[in-house]
Amino acid sequence: MMCVMVSEPSTRGDTSPPEDEAASVKPPATDWDSLAEWWLTTFSNGADAEYELQILPLVAEHLTGCRTILDVGAGEGQVSRRLATALPAPALVVGVDPFARQLANAVRQGGGPVYVQSRGERLPLRDGACDGVVCCLVIEHADEPERMLAEMARVVAPGGRLVLVVNHPVVQGPGSGFVDDRILDEMYWRIGPYLTETVGLEEIDPGIPVRFSHRPLSGYVNPLCSAGLVLTRLEEPTPPFEFLTDSLDLELERSMPRLCAMRFERPRERLDPLGDPEGA
Ligand SMILES: C[S@@+](CC[C@H](N)C(=O)[O-])C[C@H]1O[C@@H](n2cnc3c(N)ncnc32)[C@H](O)[C@@H]1O
């Protein structure tokens, strides 16, 4: 979530409608084709400290050893490119995205991955086709997040992994953010209505409204566990200094995560709560 300074308590950049309104009005899906050049210049090829210092190394670390990797919502391809070049063993990396201009930027930059135009909600792959799947800052923009989660789980092979990176829903959700209350002369972090699932618009750069859906962490973990995956790692990186150059309270902002990365694995054998590996 982006933040603004205020003279009365309020969070930075929160453009969500009131809760009762939010429940009934779903904003239109974001046209990522119209944002393709903005995304490329603002976030890619070293422009964004968070991608450079945290997101790209984290994703590569958790997919090390994978040989056939699917990048869902690849955008202009920086995650795909990193995986195609940085992993010790050469990997086949396939990036999918429904937006043609995003993919055109990805193809233009080359770097090894191949790209296919597809929504994450309907992946053109057979069951268990990949030993690595990554979905980085995409699921919050999906029309049907439940369906996308089910599709991603479906294509993870036994022994394979899924790395899901989201804006941290506990402290970056609607109504949450850094508050500079100049009346009470205090700065603090406000937490919005965490358990309430909402869909709203957020202006993440001046004149760039993007639709985000919010769900609690259980809304990601439980559907994937129900689809047979096991959560094996959860990362909440400290925001890098380089990202907080305008911070009014560095200590406070460094204590609140911006990202949450979850690694799930599909066991080679079916797990049974009573201890029988075959579940008989
Ligand atoms: C915030 S960008 C992230 C791009 C890329 N994953 C990265 O981290 O650089 C969100 C991406 O999600 C894509 N997207 C939106 N709806 C999608 C859907 N239903 N299925 C797959 N990708 C989608 C957009 O086209 C856009 O490229």
Side-chain angles (χ1 to χ4, degrees), residues 29-33 38-39 43-44 51 55-56 71-80 96-100 102-103 118-123 134-144 148 167 204 210-212:
T30 302
D31 173 13
W32 283 92
D33 271 343
W38 164 79
W39 180 260
F43 290 99
S44 181
Y51 266 97
I55 296 174
L56 297 175
D71 178 8
V72 179
E76 58 66 56
Q78 67 173 327
V79 172
S80 293
V96 300
D97 199 290
F99 288 90
Q102 295 274 57
L103 287 182
S118 167
R119 297 171 73 223
E121 289 91 337
R122 188 182 285 270
L123 294 170
V134 57
C135 180
C136 178
L137 302 179
V138 173
I139 192 93
E140 297 102 315
H141 308 295
D143 287 322
E144 303 168 275
M148 191 186 283
N167 291 284
I204 57 177
V210 171
R211 192 181 76 181
F212 277 86

Side-chain angles (χ1 to χ4, degrees), residues 50 54 237-244 253-258:
E50 208 165 37
Q54 294 191 324
T238 302
F241 286 113
E242 292 81 349
F243 192 82
L244 300 174
E253 293 211 53
R254 294 260 299 163
S255 72
M256 308 305 278
R258 290 173 45 80

Side-chain angles (χ1 to χ4, degrees), residues 222-244:
N222 292 342
L224 291 170
C225 290
S226 297
L229 302 188
V230 176
L231 178 67
T232 55
R233 186 85 188 163
L234 190 143
E235 306 275 9
E236 300 171 296
T238 302
F241 286 113
E242 292 81 349
F243 192 82
L244 300 174

Side-chain angles (χ1 to χ4, degrees), residues 159-177:
R161 289 170 238 165
L162 162 65
V163 176
L164 180 64
V165 182
V166 297
N167 291 284
H168 202 302
V170 179
V171 290
Q172 306 292 341
S176 296

